[in-house]
């Protein structure tokens, strides 16, 4: 058997393991109690912001009011941290990281944690937003109609709403909140690498959002909460998507560098 045949033979089991690895990844990331709790909490925060609009007739108004006029939006970062952000801390406390590192490199271990946290952060925020389809149950008077709208629709989505393309309309906001969920999840994960306290891991992203929102007007920048829910009058929906993508994407990269640096150091010290 020549070298190329040996390489093909060795690669065959790896290819067969790919579907299994994908299934394990999806199961450990999404099919967990924490993921369900995070999605329900995300939906609950929307509903809490809508309670004062109990008698609203427009579903679009109820949906917009849940973020534009709500003081509960600062709780959203907690949802993204629920599914996977505590896994690194739990592995260290239970010494599972030592056993995991017997089978893979430190770099692969840390990267896997980071990627799973980012994916779960996106998915849990998107799932919680999709659960808003339950709003008609909580608000029986609300119906989905553009004619009942009272100016809550942002101009860059006006044509989409007029065409009653509700899949694109709510899909845009689902994608937007998912992008921010990536950052809030990895921010909590990064904090867990530096601080060994569960409460600090959950509270720090909330304080960070509040502090950045307070500082943004003084720095002539868009606030993070405003970018999370497209509260600004962007010219196009592409622009409304690009701003948070760049903002949360760049901060996620900084979190990655800080997490890898601290994670490698912790592995060497353990």
């Amino acid at each position: 058997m020549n070298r190329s045949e040996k390489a093909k033979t060795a690669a065959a089991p790896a290819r067969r393991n790919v579907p299994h690895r994908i299934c394990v990844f999806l199961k450990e990331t999404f099919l967990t109690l924490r993921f369900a709790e995070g999605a329900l909490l995300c939906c609950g925060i929307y509903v809490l912001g809508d309670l004062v609009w109990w008698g609203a007739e427009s579903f679009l108004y109820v949906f917009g009011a849940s973020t534009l006029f709500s003081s509960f939006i600062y709780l959203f970062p907690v949802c993204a941290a629920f599914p996977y952000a505590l896994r690194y801390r739990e592995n260290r406390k239970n010494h599972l990281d030592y056993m995991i590192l017997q089978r893979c490199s430190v770099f692969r271990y840390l990267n896997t944690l980071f990627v799973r946290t980012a994916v779960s952060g996106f998915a849990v925020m998107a799932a919680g937003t999709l659960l808003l389809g339950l709003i008609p149950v909580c608000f029986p008077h609300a119906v989905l109609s553009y004619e009942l709208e009272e100016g809550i629709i942002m101009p860059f989505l006006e044509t989409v709403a007029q065409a009653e393309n509700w899949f694109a309309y709510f899909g845009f906001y689902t994608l937007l909140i998912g992008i921010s969920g990536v950052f809030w999840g990895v921010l909590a994960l990064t904090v867990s690498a530096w601080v060994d306290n569960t409460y600090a891991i959950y509270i720090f992203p909330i304080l960070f959002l509040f502090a950045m929102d307070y500082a943004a007007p003084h720095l002539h920048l868009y606030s993070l909460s405003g970018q999370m829910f497209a509260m600004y009058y962007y010219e196009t929906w592409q622009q409304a998507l690009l701003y948070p993508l760049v903002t949360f994407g760049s901060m996620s990269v900084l979190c990655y560098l800080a997490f890898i640096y601290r994670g490698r150091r912790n592995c060497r010290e353990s």
Side-chain angles (χ1 to χ4, degrees):
M1 183 180 294
N2 56 36
R3 183 176 300 178
S4 60
E5 292 176 345
K6 289 182 180 180
K8 292 179 181 179
T9 303
R15 287 195 296 268
R16 288 195 295 267
N17 287 334
V18 170
H20 174 70
R21 291 178 180 178
I22 294 176
C23 290
V24 172
F25 178 87
L26 295 176
K27 181 179 179 180
E28 293 183 355
T29 305
F30 304 131
L31 300 181
T32 63
L33 179 60
R34 287 183 180 178
F35 185 89
E37 291 172 344
L40 290 174
L41 177 62
C42 181
C43 183
I45 294 172
Y46 280 113
V47 175
L48 283 175
D50 281 325
L51 289 180
V52 295
W53 310 100
W54 183 265
E57 297 180 354
S58 171
F59 184 94
L60 295 179
Y61 193 84
V62 171
F63 178 73
S66 65
T67 55
L68 290 174
F69 309 134
S70 174
S71 300
F72 296 99
I73 59 176
Y74 294 103
L75 298 177
F76 276 109
V78 177
C79 307
F82 251 89
Y84 217 83
L86 288 180
R87 183 61 62 90
Y88 175 78
R89 177 180 179 273
E90 292 171 349
N91 287 350
R92 282 179 55 80
K93 291 186 70 67
N94 298 328
H95 304 289
L96 290 176
D97 55 346
Y98 177 79
M99 292 184 288
I100 294 173
L101 292 174
Q102 301 300 313
R103 297 177 295 171
C104 68
S105 65
V106 173
F107 186 73
R108 180 179 177 182
Y109 168 62
L110 296 177
N111 271 280
T112 301
L113 282 173
F114 191 90
V115 171
R116 283 184 172 175
T117 304
V119 172
S120 64
F122 178 95
V124 74
M125 298 292 276
T129 304
L130 292 176
L131 283 176
L132 281 177
L134 299 176
I135 278 186
V137 177
C138 303
F139 303 88
H141 302 291
V143 295
L144 194 59
S145 174
Y146 176 77
E147 285 72 20
L148 293 175
E149 171 49 35
E150 299 179 4
I152 201 73
I153 299 177
M154 290 299 179
F156 56 87
L157 289 177
E158 190 77 24
T159 55
V160 176
Q162 285 179 343
E164 297 189 348
N165 188 354
W166 305 123
F167 179 82
Y169 184 88
F170 292 106
F172 172 82
Y173 283 104
T174 301
L175 178 60
L176 203 62
I177 192 68
I179 291 173
S180 68
V182 172
F183 170 68
W184 298 124
V186 299
L187 177 61
L189 176 68
T190 303
V191 173
S192 72
W194 293 80
V195 179
D196 187 19
N197 186 287
T198 303
Y199 299 105
I201 295 170
Y202 282 125
I203 293 175
F204 184 84
I206 298 176
L207 297 177
F208 183 83
L209 175 59
F210 186 84
M212 292 299 291
D213 274 12
Y214 177 80
H218 303 284
L219 300 175
H220 305 287
L221 299 172
Y222 289 156
S223 67
L224 294 185
S225 60
Q227 294 185 59
M228 285 172 62
F229 307 105
M231 295 181 183
Y232 295 103
Y233 291 92
Y234 299 103
E235 295 181 1
T236 62
W237 68 267
Q238 292 93 337
Q239 188 182 43
L241 194 62
L242 179 62
Y243 272 89
L245 190 62
V246 172
T247 301
F248 291 111
S250 59
M251 291 190 298
S252 297
V253 171
L254 293 178
C255 287
Y256 173 77
L257 296 176
F259 175 68
I260 293 297
Y261 169 78
R262 184 64 181 181
R264 284 181 167 178
R265 184 175 177 180
N266 289 340
C267 290
R268 287 196 299 266
E269 294 175 354
S270 60

